[in-house]
Amino acid sequence: MWAIILSHLEDDMADRKNYDFHSLNIPYKISLDEIDLPRPVELPQDGEILSLLRAVDSRHELADMHKLLGRSEAGQLGSFGSRTTMMAVRRQDPELLRWGLVAFLIWIPHSHDFRDDLPIMALFEHSAKKLKLSPWREFRRAAKRVPVARVWVRRWLRKPPWEKSLKAWRYAESADDDGFRYRQTNVAPMTPELRDMIENPAPMTPELRAIVEEVEERARKAGKRRQL
């Protein structure tokens, strides 16, 4: 009897082998010349990511998808989600925004600091309104599909309107040659001095190298003591 029950439970568990995560393992590399430029709103793998989310949803495993992913893979979903706040407005596509919000909530359990994710929630709030959607309804609907983020969404919804605004998180509406986008209002271009430091790093001095080696040696000794 228990063997049958366990067999059914195993069948119901999300299985990484059912999916191709190729689209979540394509890093976006930024050259130094691009560092002051706005990040692309759309990437070539975005269509594959959307197809992956739909495939997981078709197997009713969306609620467990966060368990299948490494942190870097989940980070790709978070990045995709944040970009859909702009893609959906450009295309006037509410369904794309909904998938983006689901993707972003799948990322939340992997985040080291939720405060870094709050500004993106403000973008979703604003984009939903631009698409004539109810942010409250959309957040609640997404949280039902990704229950692990339900408490996170509830806390966001309880914030006063000002704390959910673009201005509070230093964002503003903008546009480029391809259409609508958001821009941060507190980001300055890289200074020539900083660019020179990155392009022409100075060699490590003997004094600094000695300090680094001392810190590394202490870390090694501490690690050995913990093993004992």
Side-chain angles (χ1 to χ4, degrees):
M1 179 67 179
W2 283 110
I4 295 174
I5 294 174
L6 287 173
S7 175
H8 284 305
L9 286 174
E10 289 174 359
D11 290 341
D12 291 339
M13 289 176 63
D15 190 343
R16 186 180 172 92
K17 291 184 293 185
N18 292 332
Y19 307 104
D20 178 8
F21 290 97
H22 171 74
S23 59
L24 299 184
N25 289 283
I26 305 175
Y28 173 58
K29 298 180 180 179
I30 306 173
S31 69
L32 199 60
D33 292 334
E34 295 178 313
I35 203 163
D36 291 331
L37 300 175
R39 301 290 180 266
V41 171
E42 301 188 40
L43 296 180
Q45 63 265 35
D46 286 342
E48 294 180 27
I49 293 174
L50 187 56
S51 296
L52 172 62
L53 290 167
R54 286 174 169 153
V56 176
D57 189 42
S58 70
R59 297 180 68 98
H60 309 290
E61 295 182 347
L62 205 58
D64 294 320
M65 188 174 179
H66 65 283
K67 299 176 185 177
L68 303 179
L69 306 175
R71 189 170 186 273
S72 63
E73 293 171 332
Q76 290 280 41
L77 278 187
S79 177
F80 167 76
S82 66
R83 294 197 305 278
T84 63
T85 62
M86 296 175 279
M87 284 192 281
V89 175
R90 288 183 176 190
R91 301 180 189 179
Q92 290 295 291
D93 187 346
E95 198 61 25
L96 179 57
L97 187 71
R98 291 179 181 125
W99 280 113
L101 182 54
V102 165
F104 190 74
L105 294 185
I106 292 171
W107 149 252
I108 290 298
H110 295 266
S111 177
H112 287 164
D113 192 340
F114 291 165
R115 291 172 295 184
D116 294 336
D117 303 308
L118 289 171
I120 309 304
M121 295 291 278
L123 301 188
F124 277 111
E125 179 99 9
H126 190 266
S127 294
K129 292 176 180 176
K130 287 188 73 67
L131 292 172
K132 297 180 171 54
L133 303 173
S134 163
W136 185 89
R137 186 177 295 114
E138 297 303 328
F139 281 128
R140 296 272 294 183
R141 180 186 295 175
K144 287 181 180 179
R145 303 178 79 182
V146 190
V148 70
R150 190 172 290 166
V151 173
W152 160 259
V153 170
R154 190 179 301 128
R155 289 174 180 169
W156 173 262
L157 292 175
R158 288 175 178 171
K159 289 182 178 294
W162 160 252
E163 291 187 22
K164 295 189 285 185
S165 69
L166 289 185
K167 190 173 182 181
W169 299 101
R170 298 181 180 179
Y171 272 88
E173 288 190 31
S174 185
D176 58 23
D177 293 341
D178 297 317
F180 175 84
R181 70 177 303 134
Y182 291 110
R183 64 176 175 84
Q184 288 180 275
T185 59
N186 64 331
V187 178
M190 183 184 290
T191 63
E193 294 79 9
L194 181 56
R195 182 179 290 274
D196 183 64
M197 286 175 61
I198 295 174
E199 291 179 338
N200 304 294
M204 187 179 291
T205 64
E207 294 79 10
L208 182 56
R209 184 175 296 279
I211 293 172
V212 171
E213 290 175 351
E214 181 181 351
V215 171
E216 290 176 344
E217 181 62 24
R218 288 180 182 176
R220 280 194 292 270
K221 289 180 179 178
K224 289 181 180 178
R225 283 197 295 271
R226 282 195 295 271
Q227 291 176 358
L228 297 175

